[in-house]
Amino acid sequence: MKYFLDFGAHKLEGLKEFTGKLNIDTEWIVQSYEPNIFVYEVAKKNLENVKDKYKKISLEQKAIMHENGFVTFNAHKGCWKDESKTEYLEQMTTGGNVLDFNPHMDIGNRVVFDSEEVEVECVDVDEILRNICENDKEAEIYIKCDIEGAEFVVLPRIIESDYSKNIKEIHTEWHERMWFYEGMEGITQKQRERFLYTSQLKKLGIKCFDHT
């Protein structure tokens, strides 16, 4: 069986994209995860419109991490167009993150986040893989990973997992830019980690793609 794991599902925009890109159909099982309370309900409604396209689809309000438990999630409600905060973009729900330092802006598009701290449940990515592979030894797993900086703890967990052999592809949106508060040194360090983790995943036979 083929499985699509949507880490950072947002409003299921990525699922729509990858349904076309990977030819996902009624032979696939889809598991989606979105911890942001401000977009989760929208995602649930959107799921109702697409559920018949897949063999099975689920959506959980959980953050993907390297361990089980609970974590403080910086949930974005919207954002300001720039640091002047004169124009509020209420409909631009940009996501959120679990980072301790909670970057106040995205240096890529210069928007300034309007965020609220909420406690959410997090799930160990290895547990997700184990639950699939112990029930389906021939599982073929495809992952979209857009988790706003948490990829730097989640991907190492995948690399050390006994079930990484079942993963065919990982499509990652990298967020090293979130370490801008440390200057170029912080960003450069995360770029080194990105190169290292990508190399290790490829050595495991996993095809790696950048997702934007």
Side-chain angles (χ1 to χ4, degrees):
M1 183 72 66
K2 290 184 177 181
Y3 298 79
F4 179 66
L5 304 184
D6 191 1
F7 296 162
H10 204 242
K11 300 175 184 177
L12 304 188
E13 304 97 327
L15 175 59
K16 180 179 180 180
E17 174 190 348
F18 280 91
T19 294
K21 183 179 293 186
L22 299 177
N23 294 316
I24 302 175
D25 56 23
T26 52
E27 298 299 313
W28 290 60
I29 291 176
V30 175
Q31 296 178 199
S32 301
Y33 301 83
E34 176 50 58
N36 190 338
I37 60 173
F38 300 112
V39 298
Y40 177 74
E41 292 301 323
V42 177
K44 279 179 63 177
K45 291 178 181 178
N46 290 341
L47 182 147
E48 290 300 312
N49 296 326
V50 301
K51 63 183 181 180
D52 294 334
K53 294 183 178 181
Y54 315 104
K55 182 178 181 67
K56 181 180 179 182
I57 182 171
S58 60
L59 173 65
E60 297 190 55
Q61 190 178 350
K62 296 179 181 179
I64 303 297
M65 288 294 287
H66 58 304
E67 59 187 0
N68 290 321
F70 290 86
V71 66
T72 298
F73 185 79
N74 305 303
H76 297 164
K77 296 181 283 186
C79 61
W80 290 273
K81 186 177 181 179
D82 54 41
E83 289 187 277
S84 70
K85 293 189 176 181
T86 56
E87 183 178 351
Y88 189 76
L89 309 175
E90 186 171 0
Q91 298 304 314
M92 188 176 176
T93 44
T94 53
N97 62 75
V98 296
L99 304 177
D100 293 337
F101 51 86
N102 187 20
H104 74 285
M105 68 180 294
D106 186 328
I107 62 169
N109 56 20
R110 311 304 296 180
V111 300
V112 176
F113 304 127
D114 179 14
S115 65
E116 179 178 322
E117 289 187 357
V118 295
E119 186 178 58
V120 300
E121 187 175 356
C122 59
V123 57
D124 185 346
V125 65
D126 186 60
E127 179 177 294
I128 295 172
L129 297 175
R130 181 174 66 250
N131 288 341
I132 291 172
C133 297
E134 288 188 349
N135 289 292
D136 183 357
K137 304 296 184 184
E138 304 301 319
E140 297 181 6
I141 300 172
Y142 296 76
I143 298 174
K144 187 214 83 179
C145 184
D146 183 5
I147 50 179
E148 306 296 323
E151 65 269 17
F152 289 103
V153 295
V154 168
L155 293 181
R157 183 68 167 149
I158 290 175
I159 289 166
E160 68 183 20
S161 173
D162 292 335
Y163 307 100
S164 61
K165 62 183 180 294
N166 290 83
I167 300 174
K168 300 301 180 182
E169 296 181 6
I170 295 182
H171 299 254
T172 306
E173 180 167 343
W174 294 92
H175 298 85
E176 58 264 52
R177 66 186 183 276
M178 289 188 170
W179 276 261
F180 71 90
Y181 76 100
E182 295 181 354
M184 280 307 301
E185 182 179 346
I187 294 175
T188 300
Q189 174 57 35
K190 289 302 173 184
Q191 289 174 334
R192 292 193 190 101
E193 292 179 29
R194 171 179 176 171
F195 178 80
L196 173 63
Y197 300 149
T198 300
S199 298
Q200 291 175 329
L201 289 165
K202 288 180 177 178
K203 286 180 181 178
L204 294 171
I206 300 171
K207 294 181 179 179
C208 298
F209 302 90
D210 292 342
H211 174 62
T212 57

